[in-house]
Amino acid sequence: MSWIPLIGRSRERSVAGYRKGETLARALLDLGGRCFGERDGAQADLVTTDGALSFHVREKVHSQFMMHVVTLEFALRVPGAPAGTGMVNISHTGMLRRRALEFKVKRGAHGDFQPLLVTLSASSALSEALMALDFQSCQVHADARGYSICIEHYAASEVVSRMPALRRYIRLTQPQSGALLGALIALRALLQK
């Protein structure tokens, strides 16, 4: 008997205490009247009330020892013709305080990403929105179909621990939801050029 199928089966099991769709439902309440759309379990397709932005949200479960964290990934697809295929990571610089934004092309990318990096780093609207945003990861993926933007926020998440028993939802505040939507709009405008 091989042990490899047993490993595969253990990954398929759900995380104990995970409530599918609950974190997303609470985040939609936090977004208030800014967005509406169709929710399907742990994911939703949303549109801003003014119709300026259409994006996808899905729950991501990060399992750890005796606990798990449920975060939301906000994703946006932008059609276009990228100069190559690969991924750009966007992060804050500075140890204790945010100093600036850093744009790095992930290893293994194919093509010339320098014009894209210059465009992203020169945008004051993008810089203003991302400097105010508390995000875990912000990535721009480029492929033959265009660009895909993925932002994973620190808020709009739930921390669940079994020992000690704890379930805590971290709210998405109004300033943070405004910065999140502003960042998605700014990134879409820059990538459509």
Side-chain angles (χ1 to χ4, degrees):
M1 180 175 167
S2 174
W3 53 272
I4 293 175
L6 296 177
I7 292 174
R9 253 189 273 147
S10 68
R11 288 185 182 160
E12 292 169 7
R13 278 186 279 175
S14 63
V15 176
Y18 170 54
R19 298 177 184 168
K20 184 177 179 180
E22 185 175 306
T23 305
L24 177 60
R26 293 183 80 172
L28 291 176
L29 290 174
D30 289 345
L31 285 169
R34 293 179 182 235
C35 299
F36 64 93
E38 294 293 319
R39 186 174 142 222
D40 180 25
Q43 56 187 354
D45 290 314
L46 301 177
V47 178
T48 56
T49 52
D50 59 1
L53 185 65
S54 175
F55 58 99
H56 183 78
V57 184
R58 73 180 180 101
E59 287 184 353
K60 288 178 71 176
V61 181
H62 305 278
S63 181
Q64 299 171 9
F65 180 69
M66 299 288 282
M67 69 174 292
H68 68 272
V69 179
V70 182
T71 60
L72 294 182
E73 180 183 72
F74 297 84
L76 175 66
R77 191 94 184 126
V78 180
T85 59
M87 183 173 68
V88 176
N89 280 326
I90 304 172
S91 61
H92 294 120
T93 62
M95 179 87 76
L96 298 175
R97 293 179 186 228
R98 296 178 192 154
R99 302 277 181 223
L101 293 171
E102 184 176 52
F103 302 88
K104 285 186 180 177
V105 177
K106 187 115 177 182
R107 197 177 276 168
H110 302 287
D112 184 17
F113 280 88
Q114 195 57 37
L116 176 62
L117 295 177
V118 169
T119 302
L120 293 175
S121 61
S123 172
S124 60
L126 178 62
S127 178
E128 181 181 324
L130 286 177
M131 287 300 287
L133 190 63
D134 300 328
F135 62 90
Q136 292 181 29
S137 70
C138 180
Q139 301 170 337
V140 177
H141 301 267
D143 58 26
R145 296 178 295 158
Y147 297 99
S148 179
I149 303 160
C150 297
I151 299 176
E152 198 171 333
H153 200 283
Y154 277 115
S157 61
E158 185 175 43
V159 179
V160 180
S161 174
R162 288 192 278 169
M163 184 68 93
L166 168 78
R167 182 178 292 274
R168 169 78 69 173
Y169 175 73
I170 302 165
R171 285 189 61 236
L172 181 65
T173 62
Q174 288 296 323
Q176 284 297 301
S177 63
L180 175 66
L181 296 175
L184 289 171
I185 289 171
L187 281 165
R188 185 190 61 190
L190 291 170
L191 296 173
Q192 282 180 336
K193 289 182 180 180

